[in-house]
Amino acid sequence: MREPIRGPVLVLTGAGISAESGVPTFRGAQGLWRTYRPEQLATPQAFRRDPVLVWEWYDWRRGLIGACAPNRAHQALAEMEAALPGFTLVTQNVDGLHQAAGSRDVLQLHGSIWDLRCPACRYETTNRQTPLPEIPPRCPECGETLRPGVVWFGEPLPAGVLQAAWEAAKNCSLVLVVGTSAVVQPAASLPLVALQNGARLVEVNVAETPLSQYAHEVLRGPAAELLPQWWARM
Ligand code: OAD
């Protein structure tokens, strides 16, 4: 059953929202984790063991993502932010396509693939160069190897970002979950926290997820098609 939007809205997005922009997802038939092993590429241990290998993989992904444009689902969320008071967008994506579509306030739970930071002296920068001129990139302040500004498996999420996301989950009256397999914690708990606090759950996904059973409304299909349609009806 469809209901008009009343009260604060939380949106949680995952790789599926960028799929139609050409960014590969992680799980599923064409997912990155079918070809690559996360423990060799997306952990602090992997980076310590072989920073060149890890950087080659991130440099390849940066090139791929850099050639992609936001799609109509990203645009619909940017429109919602402009139109709805009390709107919070939380993403697990590191691709920056929400910002490219015009979203201003994006809580990036897993960081950004465009950020580089120094593990030694805390130097940070945003760099959109693809390919990077030097692999691995070096810190201009202290010469240490820079790391991608993303969250790897086994690492804590940025505390302030996570706190803001929890607050939004506790206070929203509608949670819209778009293109995530909802299996990676703590992101996957946000919709459940919202539900426990009485929010209505709408899921947009081409496939069933562990959240589908709790959803008040399921939009089964591609986000770039179904999300703008759903928003247009509101
Ligand atoms: P996944 O790759 O796990 O899930 C993508 C989801 O998008 C799946 O549920 C698909 O069914 C759905 N999907 C695919 N195409 C879609 C489309 N066109 N429209 C709507 N839905 C579509 O990606 P995430 O859930 O984002 O973390 O993964 C969560 C985290 O696991 C990522 O942030 C990353 C990964 O390992 C880290 O690397 C720390």
Side-chain angles (χ1 to χ4, degrees):
M1 227 189 52
R2 194 158 303 127
E3 283 181 12
I5 298 175
R6 281 192 213 97
V9 175
L10 167 65
V11 181
L12 173 67
T13 64
I17 195 168
S18 297
E20 286 147 280
S21 293
V23 182
T25 61
F26 294 94
R27 295 166 187 83
Q30 314 291 318
L32 290 173
W33 296 151
R34 283 283 165 113
T35 317
Y36 302 97
R37 292 174 58 192
E39 61 276 18
Q40 286 182 344
L41 296 164
T43 65
Q45 294 82 352
F47 188 65
R48 275 197 296 274
R49 198 166 45 232
D50 196 342
V52 171
L53 176 76
V54 170
W55 263 118
E56 281 171 350
W57 191 64
Y58 276 92
D59 198 42
W60 168 72
R61 284 180 61 205
R62 284 163 56 96
L64 201 157
I65 292 168
C68 294
N71 64 53
R72 292 187 61 226
H74 297 104
Q75 284 157 7
L77 293 179
E79 285 171 24
M80 280 186 218
E81 180 184 34
L84 300 173
F87 177 89
T88 305
L89 175 56
V90 179
T91 189
Q92 298 163 88
N93 299 345
V94 297
D95 56 30
L97 290 181
H98 285 303
Q99 291 89 336
S103 286
R104 288 168 180 276
D105 241 334
V106 187
L107 294 172
Q108 299 183 123
L109 287 178
H110 295 164
S112 167
I113 203 162
W114 304 114
D115 290 347
L116 276 57
R117 59 185 160 85
C118 178
C121 75
R122 300 289 151 202
Y123 166 85
E124 284 185 13
T125 190
T126 299
N127 174 320
R128 294 193 68 100
Q129 242 184 315
T130 60
L132 285 165
E134 186 192 12
I135 298 259
R138 301 274 170 201
C139 176
E141 307 278 335
C142 74
E144 182 63 73
T145 301
L146 293 174
R147 59 162 287 172
V150 300
V151 176
W152 283 322
F153 289 104
E155 292 188 311
L157 273 56
V161 174
L162 186 58
Q163 184 60 34
W166 284 133
E167 289 304 318
K170 281 188 252 171
N171 295 318
C172 69
S173 55
L174 170 71
V175 57
L176 184 57
V177 184
V178 188
T180 177
S181 55
V183 294
V184 173
Q185 296 295 349
S189 292
L190 290 167
L192 298 175
V193 168
L195 269 178
Q196 277 159 8
N197 285 275
R200 193 180 148 71
L201 171 61
V202 178
E203 182 183 62
V204 187
N205 201 305
V206 289
E208 189 166 346
T209 76
L211 280 180
S212 305
Q213 59 186 313
Y214 306 112
H216 297 92
E217 186 179 351
V218 174
L219 307 177
R220 186 65 73 227
E225 194 182 311
L226 297 188
L227 190 59
Q229 284 173 10
W230 178 87
W231 173 231
R233 290 196 299 263
M234 287 298 144

